[in-house]
Amino acid sequence: MADRAQQSQQAQRDFIANVSHDLKTPLTSIQGYSQALLDGTAAGAAVQQRAALIISQEAQRLTYLVEEVIDLARLENGGLHLHLEPVDANELGAELVDSSLPRYEASGVTLTWRPAPEPVPLLADAARLRRALTNLLDNALEHTPSPGEVTLTVEATELGAQVQFTITDTGAGIPAEEIGRIWERFYRVDRARTERRGSGLGLAIVKEIGEAHGGEAGVTSVVGQGSRFWLKLPAKVENGAKVGVADHTR
Ligand code: ADP
């Protein structure tokens, strides 16, 4: 019991340390470049343009990070009400493939789409589900070198009672000693690669969104061969699942 309380306190301390660090880096940059514009150190149109661009990009990064932290906090406190609506998993998958394709094509990674043979109805918060699956598709792309392949599969399982989305990649894979930790907030396997934009929140959000729907997320992976992430949701949300009442006012 005491152990669990200690672990939770430690997790909270780590969380604050990580958020502070991730907020501070772009803020320092915004401060530096705006000061240079104000005091005239950034002279000439080209230099000023570049400073303004960096300020804008860093501000965007901050907005994204803050949105992720707020979303995750809401999900974890059960304060985020899902806006449940009928969704067809095949349609949602096709839409995601369409929106992800340009990023895949630019990276030289093939995105293969395998819909279920029949429509796959489910009751879900379409925006949150899109967010979770986009996180998985973006991760797969990021960890798959060209010429690689990522496949999105939709299938109805358990006689249509469950819907499973699977994202398989032929990328780097995840070491066995790390795989248990990747769902933790802010956990990144390769922290040293500072050029990466990842906040380490993506998979924590996927997990929370899955659980909020009464479903679950999981992964299997082989280093050097690739990873297989899945998100499984009940087609109809059961009584007692951690969800809010459908609210179509949004
Ligand atoms: P990040 O913002 O770093 O992508 P995530 O929570 O989405 O954060 O992922 C946590 C870590 O899990 C990543 O840093 C990465 O090392 C690992 N990971 C996630 N998806 C994959 C994948 N498809 N292949 C290999 N490693 C992955």
Side-chain angles (χ1 to χ4, degrees):
M1 200 60 188
D3 262 10
R4 202 172 298 165
Q6 262 175 358
Q7 267 177 13
S8 140
Q9 270 177 6
Q10 184 59 43
Q12 214 159 9
R13 276 198 293 270
D14 288 350
F15 180 72
I16 291 167
N18 284 324
V19 177
S20 317
H21 176 264
D22 279 20
L23 290 176
K24 215 172 151 192
T25 316
L27 276 175
T28 307
S29 177
I30 289 172
Q31 220 166 18
Y33 282 98
S34 54
Q35 189 58 44
L37 283 173
L38 281 172
D39 65 19
T41 321
V47 177
Q48 287 170 353
Q49 181 75 20
R50 195 178 121 70
L53 181 70
I54 292 172
I55 291 172
S56 159
Q57 284 171 342
E58 295 296 285
Q60 242 167 28
R61 212 171 114 186
L62 281 176
T63 308
Y64 188 73
L65 176 67
V66 169
E67 275 172 4
E68 277 196 326
V69 171
I70 292 172
D71 235 22
L72 193 60
R74 283 206 192 121
L75 279 160
E76 287 183 341
N77 295 332
L80 186 128
H81 280 231
L82 293 181
H83 299 267
L84 296 176
E85 55 184 309
V87 176
D88 181 72
N90 271 347
E91 276 176 26
L92 189 87
E95 196 188 295
L96 285 168
V97 168
D98 273 352
S99 58
S100 303
L101 258 181
R103 288 195 298 279
Y104 272 77
E105 279 171 359
S107 303
V109 175
T110 308
L111 179 56
T112 304
W113 166 223
R114 295 225 170 94
E118 306 282 342
V120 188
L122 85 152
L123 206 54
D125 184 322
R128 307 273 163 211
L129 190 51
R130 221 174 268 131
R131 171 84 176 268
L133 293 167
T134 303
N135 285 356
L136 293 177
L137 283 168
D138 285 352
N139 277 351
L141 176 59
E142 179 159 1
H143 297 281
T144 305
S146 169
E149 185 178 9
V150 172
T151 308
L152 172 64
T153 309
V154 167
E155 55 198 325
T157 60
E158 294 165 41
L159 298 171
Q162 301 277 328
V163 178
Q164 183 164 324
F165 295 87
T166 310
I167 290 98
T168 313
D169 67 59
T170 59
I174 304 160
E177 62 275 18
E178 309 270 7
I179 209 158
R181 301 202 57 195
I182 57 171
W183 305 94
E184 290 173 20
R185 296 178 299 187
F186 287 107
Y187 193 78
R188 287 176 233 166
V189 172
D190 191 355
R191 286 184 162 271
R193 287 173 58 195
T194 44
E195 84 277 10
R196 289 208 32 229
R197 288 177 47 90
S199 60
L201 290 174
L203 288 178
I205 288 172
V206 171
K207 181 168 168 277
E208 289 294 331
I209 290 176
E211 288 175 2
H213 280 84
E216 55 179 337
V219 61
T220 52
S221 186
V222 179
V223 170
Q225 288 185 23
S227 308
R228 181 174 167 273
F229 280 86
W230 50 264
L231 184 62
K232 199 171 177 178
L233 307 174
K236 299 248 185 310
V237 175
E238 290 162 31
N239 284 338
K242 202 176 81 181
V243 294
V245 180
D247 171 1
H248 296 290
T249 54
R250 191 176 59 168

